[in-house]
């Protein structure tokens, strides 16, 4: 499949941003004790360091749907496309609970099994494979219905401890299940809300085939409309996010409260805001090709390889950091602490930014090499899967 340059650029941008969030998650002083978007404890710089990375997951999921559409159209073989989506979907789920899971936790006991963004995309591909006979318009309606209505799920009547609610709600909101022997299965990315975003990506895939000026105009209008609707719903403060905004100690923190939307699960307002921003960025880069876009495109061409391997660069730094700070192996706590001691370890935010830039630079030669290898061997199935 011929690659769409703007998609690679968009992916590259969010790959770089994503790395900042993961470096902060594993290395920042307060990462294991405080939420960076908690307005009672955060600072504006820390808040925005986390907030800007909210763009990443909806972009990955939406563009996965776009790529599935373009691949299906260019293959022009429904059976082959269905088989590929099923294969890739299953592969991503396996990858989530093996290489990705170990990279995140560095725990040989796999005490935490986390249904995260890679598994969510994988399950989305499987569902999409079953919907390929539907028209893009039908899939768009499905996606819009999910996006606008999934926040109603908690209002479904029934006993909270009943079988129906126990089976239904994990599809819509995060859930945790003890598996025994100290293991826990966590649904961090509930599949239904994210599926809605993927379906919208599939339905909107044809927009990336438009002439540049048409793309720019359409993406700009769509982005502004989505953000406008977000502002309206957020101002009304009734529906679309379980965490309403409120007046804070000053104007800046009130603004932070206004844009502090819910990602777990991604609320309607979250989807409108960050998909709107995605469309504005897509409009801004449409038809542009320069040294900067060429640079980020290197990462965007190999997103899965980057995603898996960047954990294996970041996580060893956790151990280097804690040992340099005077801790010993006896102090290491795995699971939700990522191998860090219970308290006293971590880097200040300015150092997080330095480590982030170092990780991105270190990944560049490998991504560039694999991008070229992938282009030369694009007919091989395993290359298409990675």
């Amino acid at each position: 499949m011929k690659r769409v340059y703007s998609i690679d650029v968009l992916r590259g941008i969010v790959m770089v941003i994503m790395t900042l969030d993961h470096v902060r998650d594993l290395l920042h002083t307060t990462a294991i004790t405080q939420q960076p978007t908690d307005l009672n404890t955060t600072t504006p710089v820390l808040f925005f360091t986390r907030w800007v990375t909210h763009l990443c997951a909806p972009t990955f999921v939406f563009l996965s749907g776009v790529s599935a559409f373009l691949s299906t159209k260019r293959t022009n073989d429904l059976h082959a496309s269905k088989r590929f989506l099923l294969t890739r979907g299953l592969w991503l789920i396996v990858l989530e609970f093996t290489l990705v899971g170990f990279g995140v936790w560095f725990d040989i006991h796999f005490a935490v099994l986390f249904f995260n963004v890679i598994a969510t995309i994988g399950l989305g591909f499987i569902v999409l494979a079953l919907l390929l006979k539907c028209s893009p318009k039908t899939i768009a309606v499905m996606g819009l219905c999910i996006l606008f209505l999934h926040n109603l799920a908690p209002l479904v009547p029934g006993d909270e401890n009943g079988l129906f609610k126990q089976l239904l709600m994990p599809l819509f909101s995060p859930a945790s299940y003890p598996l025994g022997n100290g293991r826990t299965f966590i649904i961090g990315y509930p599949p239904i809300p994210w599926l809605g975003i993927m379906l919208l990506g599939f339905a909107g895939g044809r927009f990336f085939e438009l002439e540049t000026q048409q793309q720019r105009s359409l993406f700009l209008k769509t982005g502004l409309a989505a953000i406008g609707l977000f502002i309206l719903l957020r101002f009304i403060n009734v529906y679309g996010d379980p965490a309403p905004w409120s007046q804070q100690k000053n104007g800046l923190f009130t603004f932070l409260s206004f844009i502090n939307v819910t990602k777990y699960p991604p609320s309607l307002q979250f989807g409108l805001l960050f998909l709107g921003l995605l469309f504005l960025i897509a409009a801004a880069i449409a038809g542009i090709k320069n040294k900067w876009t060429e640079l980020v495109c290197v990462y965007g061409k190999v997103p899965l390889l980057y995603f898996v391997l960047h954990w294996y660069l970041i996580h060893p730094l956790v151990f280097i950091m804690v040992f340099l700070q005077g801790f010993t192996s006896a102090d290491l706590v795995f699971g939700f602490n990522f191998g860090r001691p219970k308290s006293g370890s971590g880097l200040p935010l300015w150092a997080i930014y330095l480590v982030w830039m170092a990780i991105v630079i270190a990944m560049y030669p490998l991504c560039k090499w694999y991008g070229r290898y992938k282009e030369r061997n694009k007919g091989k199935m395993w290359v298409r899967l990675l």
Side-chain angles (χ1 to χ4, degrees):
M1 181 183 78
K2 183 181 178 182
R3 305 194 68 88
V4 177
Y5 186 76
S6 61
I7 293 177
D8 286 335
V9 174
L10 285 170
R11 278 206 186 101
I13 292 171
V14 294
M15 299 304 291
V16 171
I17 296 173
M18 171 201 71
T19 309
L20 173 61
D21 191 43
H22 294 163
V23 171
R24 181 201 56 78
D25 257 337
L26 269 63
L27 297 173
H28 187 234
T29 50
T30 64
I32 59 177
T33 59
Q34 298 175 8
Q35 289 295 324
T37 54
D38 183 348
L39 298 183
N40 295 310
T41 58
T42 194
T43 65
V45 175
L46 179 58
F47 179 94
F48 279 109
T49 299
R50 171 57 177 143
W51 182 87
V52 71
T53 65
H54 282 339
L55 179 66
C56 301
T59 299
F60 289 143
V61 176
F62 183 86
L63 293 182
S64 294
V66 170
S67 295
F69 171 83
L70 296 175
S71 175
T72 299
K73 181 178 178 181
R74 291 169 186 172
T75 302
N76 199 27
D77 184 335
L78 201 62
H79 180 71
S81 296
K82 181 177 180 179
R83 184 174 64 249
F84 176 72
L85 286 174
L86 288 172
T87 302
R88 185 165 179 79
L90 290 171
W91 162 240
L92 290 177
I93 292 173
V94 170
L95 198 64
E96 181 75 86
F97 295 113
T98 53
L99 289 177
V100 174
F102 184 76
V104 173
W105 307 107
F106 262 45
D107 180 7
I108 61 173
H109 303 291
F110 285 86
V112 178
L113 297 174
F114 202 63
F115 190 91
N116 212 327
V117 64
I118 297 299
T120 298
I121 292 174
L123 184 59
F125 279 149
I126 292 172
V127 175
L128 196 52
L130 303 178
L131 296 176
L132 283 182
K133 289 185 179 180
C134 299
S135 69
K137 288 185 178 179
T138 300
I139 290 176
V141 171
M142 292 179 185
L144 288 171
C145 286
I146 292 173
L147 178 67
F148 278 85
L149 301 178
H150 79 269
N151 282 121
L152 296 174
L155 303 180
V156 173
D159 183 0
E160 291 297 325
N161 297 317
L163 181 62
F164 178 71
K165 277 291 186 83
Q166 290 294 313
L167 293 176
L168 174 69
M169 289 313 297
L171 299 176
F172 289 89
S173 61
S176 177
Y177 301 94
L179 300 178
N181 297 320
R183 289 186 173 86
T184 305
F185 176 72
I186 298 174
I187 299 177
Y189 277 66
I192 296 297
W194 293 105
L195 174 63
I197 293 175
M198 178 176 282
L199 295 182
L200 290 175
F202 185 89
R206 63 187 184 277
F207 300 144
F208 286 84
E209 296 183 312
L210 297 175
E211 183 269 335
T212 298
Q213 195 55 45
Q214 287 181 295
Q215 275 192 42
R216 187 176 291 121
S217 175
L218 179 63
F219 290 154
L220 180 61
K221 291 176 182 176
T222 304
L224 291 175
I227 293 175
L229 183 54
F230 157 74
I231 293 172
L232 176 62
L233 288 175
R234 194 65 173 160
F235 183 78
I236 294 172
N237 224 15
V238 173
Y239 178 73
D241 198 281
W245 68 279
S246 61
Q247 291 287 336
Q248 300 294 316
K249 59 186 179 183
N250 57 43
L252 174 58
F253 272 77
T254 298
F255 173 70
L256 298 186
S257 176
F258 191 86
I259 63 173
N260 191 18
V261 285
T262 303
K263 181 183 178 182
Y264 303 104
S267 67
L268 166 60
Q269 292 180 18
F270 176 95
L272 290 172
L273 175 57
F274 288 99
L275 288 178
L277 290 173
L278 166 62
F279 281 119
L280 293 184
I281 295 171
I285 66 170
I288 293 178
K289 190 171 185 179
N290 54 35
K291 290 183 179 180
W292 180 82
T293 61
E294 287 289 293
L295 184 69
V296 296
C297 191
V298 168
Y299 302 109
K301 288 180 179 179
V302 292
L304 186 55
L305 177 84
Y306 185 105
F307 186 89
V308 173
L309 292 187
H310 88 292
W311 289 109
Y312 289 85
L313 285 181
I314 299 172
H315 214 134
L317 296 178
V318 172
F319 306 114
I320 294 173
M321 175 187 73
V322 298
F323 291 143
L324 288 176
Q325 291 178 340
F327 296 95
T328 68
S329 57
D331 298 313
L332 304 185
V333 179
F334 288 90
F336 298 107
N337 275 45
F338 304 108
R340 286 173 58 176
K342 291 183 179 179
S343 63
S345 67
L347 299 176
L349 195 57
W350 63 265
I352 294 300
Y353 276 83
L354 292 180
V355 174
W356 165 52
M357 289 185 284
I359 294 292
V360 172
I361 292 170
M363 286 292 296
Y364 184 83
L366 178 60
C367 291
K368 192 171 184 65
W369 169 81
Y370 187 68
R372 290 171 175 170
Y373 179 85
K374 193 174 181 181
E375 181 64 27
R376 293 194 302 267
N377 297 274
K378 55 188 176 183
K380 297 179 180 178
M381 175 59 79
W382 74 268
V383 171
R384 293 182 68 195
L385 291 175
L386 192 56

